[in-house]
């Protein structure tokens, strides 16, 4: 099965399901063999788990470059080392890059592809649930010590090959992380779909086929929004639902100490509280989602050691903040996002409410 993504300058498919990697080689045999060289970029952990599967199912010759796991690969150093490797190995404009891994590898490798010789073709092979989001839409970036994802490019892949085989080895924390973005896709697009989540008693109650169906729906939501607004001038801002406060928590707790998705789940609660105030979202909906998130095992205690003062500084530094004004993606109704200017005072009230719920839960 595949889902098409259309942007101004490119159209590409996201293939998803079982055996996607194997069929890729057959389907694209001519295109792939026309490249003078291929490089597969992956991280240590993914390679240790899936080397055999990749070697069995991707039979064309390629050179391998292994980067550190997680955010450690999204550094200038790592970026520089990959470029050096490509130059030393005589990669050219006619070469192509394959990014095998989660969002971190995809972001790094995508940015390498965007800039090596002014851009070479690349293929995303996502291996996390979270990457159903990050591998689609063409945002690529590395981190600067002054801020996450600050150096990057919009650069679309040739194809996205989402082979569900990889998801089998995901630890629970990474399942939760990715699921948060799936829930975000539900909440900004479809109230009935969101009801399916609200009915969940816990994480174990999620059936694997159901999860795969949700991932597919999530990709459709993302693909649709990217089609409307590739460069984040308007609609694409809706995808930041939960991210203004969530990114601040992620930065304040420390990258790597909390997953991106867990921070986003935390951030969706203040965004829902604000949607009750500025939109028509029913009073109490934010508490319902908070309770759901707790049943699924998201840990809200992360917010307690974060000072609001620090969170507010991070929110003001956000790429989406303009002239000191906070632009929050909110919901008019569940499934109907809009962007609203919000005062820091209002965020502070939501933050206090959230902390109170967390403390009450601890008693
Ligand atoms: N470009 C975008 O649009 C976009 C959107 C959202 C997030 N992101 C970025 O994505 C990153 C987060 O993505 P992520 O959570 O996938 O991160 P990740 O790539 O760091 O993966 C998380 C961890 O899971 C491991 N892992 C990966 N696949 C696995 C598998 N199949 N089995 C077991 N372990 C596996 C990795 O080695 C890593 O330790 C962040 O850097 C974030 O900024 C980008
Ligand atoms: Zn995100």
């Amino acid at each position: 099965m595949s889902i098409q993504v259309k942007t101004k300058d490119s159209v590409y498919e996201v293939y998803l399901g079982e055996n996607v990697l194997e069929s890729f080689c057959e389907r694209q045999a001519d295109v792939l063999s026309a490249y003078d060289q291929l490089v597969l970029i992956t991280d240590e952990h993914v390679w240790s788990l899936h080397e055999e599967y990749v070697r069995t199912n991707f039979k064309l010759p390629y050179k391998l470059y292994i980067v550190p796991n997680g955010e450690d690969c999204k550094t200038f150093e790592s970026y520089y080392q990959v470029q050096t490797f490509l130059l030393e190995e005589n990669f050219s404009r006619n070469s192509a890059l394959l990014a095998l891994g989660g969002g971190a590898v995809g972001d790094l490798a995508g940015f390498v592809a965007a800039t090596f010789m002014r851009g070479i073709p690349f293929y995303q092979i996502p291996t996390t649930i979270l990457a159903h989001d990050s591998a689609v839409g063409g945002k690529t970036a590395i981190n600067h010590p002054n801020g996450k994802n600050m150096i990057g490019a919009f650069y679309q892949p040739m194809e996205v090959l989402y082979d569900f085989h990889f998801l089998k080895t995901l630890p629970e924390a990474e399942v939760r992380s990715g699921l948060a973005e799936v829930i975000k896709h539900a909440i900004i697009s479809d109230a009935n779909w969101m009801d399916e989540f609200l009915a969940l008693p816990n994480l174990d109650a999620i059936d694997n086929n159901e999860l795969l169906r949700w991932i597919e729906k999530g990709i459709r939501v993302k693909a649709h929004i990217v089609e409307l607004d590739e460069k984040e001038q308007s609609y694409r801002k809706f995808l930041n639902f939960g991210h203004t406060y969530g990114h601040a928590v992620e930065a304040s707790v420390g990258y790597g100490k909390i997953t991106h998705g867990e921070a986003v789940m935390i951030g969706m609660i203040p965004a829902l509280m604000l949607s009750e105030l500025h939109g028509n979202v029913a009073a109490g909906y934010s508490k319902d989602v908070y309770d759901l998130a707790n049943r699924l095992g998201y840990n809200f205690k992360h917010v307690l050691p974060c000072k609001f003062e620090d969170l507010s500084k991070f929110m003001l530094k956000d790429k989406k903040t303009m002239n000191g004004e906070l632009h929050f993606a909110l919901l008019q109704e569940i499934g109907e996002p809009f962007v609203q200017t919000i005062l820091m005072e209002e965020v502070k009230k939501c933050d206090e409410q959230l902390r109170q719920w967390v403390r009450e839960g601890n008693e």
Side-chain angles (χ1 to χ4, degrees):
M1 189 220 302
S2 77
I3 297 170
Q4 196 172 65
V5 185
K6 277 194 222 120
T7 64
K8 198 169 132 272
D9 302 315
S10 74
V11 181
Y12 59 95
E13 300 289 328
V14 180
Y15 289 90
L16 64 166
E18 299 288 339
N19 305 320
V20 164
L21 193 59
E22 191 186 4
S23 54
F24 168 57
C25 296
E26 292 157 19
R27 187 170 38 77
Q28 287 289 78
D30 293 350
V31 175
L32 290 170
S33 54
Y35 295 125
D36 62 0
Q37 288 202 78
L38 293 173
V39 61
L40 178 81
I41 299 184
T42 187
D43 77 28
E44 288 160 357
H45 189 53
V46 172
W47 195 241
S48 72
L49 291 169
H50 295 291
E51 171 172 359
E52 203 186 317
Y53 181 78
V54 175
R55 290 204 190 276
T56 313
N57 291 289
F58 191 83
K59 295 215 178 72
L60 296 165
Y62 55 86
K63 284 181 179 155
L64 178 69
Y65 192 88
I66 298 179
V67 296
N69 303 342
E71 291 301 306
D72 289 348
C73 78
K74 286 175 66 173
T75 59
F76 276 78
E77 195 191 355
S78 198
Y79 171 77
Y80 180 78
Q81 285 167 352
V82 183
Q83 302 280 18
T84 306
F85 174 81
L86 297 180
L87 291 168
E88 284 176 358
E89 297 288 329
N90 300 315
F91 277 78
S92 77
R93 271 211 179 130
N94 298 320
S95 309
L97 187 156
L98 309 161
L100 171 75
V105 170
D107 278 9
L108 164 79
F111 187 52
V112 168
T115 47
F116 182 74
M117 307 254 167
R118 299 200 179 86
I120 58 170
F122 91 112
Y123 296 82
Q124 288 271 21
I125 311 173
T127 62
T128 61
I129 298 175
L130 189 127
H132 90 282
D133 181 10
S134 60
V136 177
K139 275 194 186 178
T140 72
I142 57 172
N143 302 328
H144 187 280
N146 287 8
K148 196 169 182 275
N149 296 332
M150 285 296 162
I151 315 299
F154 286 97
Y155 194 65
Q156 303 292 342
M158 302 295 287
E159 286 190 353
V160 180
L161 306 150
Y162 203 169
D163 192 320
F164 288 158
H165 173 85
F166 296 115
L167 301 180
K168 289 175 189 145
T169 54
L170 276 184
E172 213 174 78
E174 298 303 335
V175 170
R176 240 179 240 118
S177 180
L179 191 66
E181 298 278 12
V182 180
I183 294 176
K184 178 199 77 180
H185 284 136
I187 216 165
I188 64 169
S189 70
D190 183 345
N192 293 332
W193 181 14
M194 199 48 207
D195 286 341
E196 293 181 43
F197 286 106
L198 287 166
L200 286 173
N202 53 48
L203 200 65
D204 290 339
I206 301 175
D207 164 80
N208 196 46
N209 287 329
E210 197 168 47
L211 176 64
L212 301 180
R213 188 174 58 83
W214 288 337
I215 290 175
E216 181 201 328
K217 285 183 82 160
I219 294 173
R220 288 190 195 281
V221 173
K222 175 93 189 235
H224 180 63
I225 292 181
V226 168
E227 250 178 71
L228 295 174
D229 172 29
E230 179 184 3
K231 301 272 168 77
E232 200 165 318
Q233 303 297 310
S234 55
Y235 298 104
R236 193 161 181 168
K237 294 192 167 102
F238 300 160
L239 296 171
N240 295 323
F241 187 79
H243 282 63
T244 310
Y245 187 89
H247 272 150
V249 170
E250 193 178 5
S252 178
V253 172
Y255 295 107
K257 298 204 178 102
I258 179 170
T259 62
H260 175 71
E262 189 152 55
V264 169
M265 178 53 87
I266 294 172
M268 285 198 273
I269 304 303
L272 283 167
M273 292 173 180
L274 290 166
S275 303
E276 290 178 23
L277 288 170
H278 291 273
N280 298 319
V281 170
Y285 199 90
S286 54
K287 184 63 163 60
D288 292 346
V289 176
Y290 175 77
D291 291 340
L292 163 69
N294 276 290
R295 292 200 297 280
L296 297 179
Y298 291 90
N299 182 4
F300 284 85
K301 284 185 206 142
H302 286 297
V303 290
L304 296 179
C306 302
K307 289 197 199 98
F308 185 74
E309 221 192 325
D310 291 339
L311 295 181
S312 106
K313 275 185 207 142
F314 283 118
M315 283 187 267
L316 291 171
K317 260 183 23 186
D318 195 283
K319 285 202 288 298
K320 284 101 197 175
T321 299
M322 281 175 282
N323 315 322
E325 273 185 354
L326 296 170
H327 293 255
F328 263 76
L330 299 182
L331 302 171
Q332 199 62 49
E333 307 274 0
I334 303 307
E336 283 178 35
F338 70 108
V339 175
Q340 171 82 38
T341 308
I342 296 289
L343 300 172
M344 194 57 85
E345 265 314 295
E346 293 179 89
V347 187
K348 189 159 196 281
K349 284 196 185 121
C350 299
D351 170 86
E352 278 162 9
Q353 174 69 80
L354 178 61
R355 283 169 203 266
Q356 197 186 324
W357 287 348
V358 180
R359 285 194 209 99
E360 281 166 8
N362 281 347
E363 280 164 9

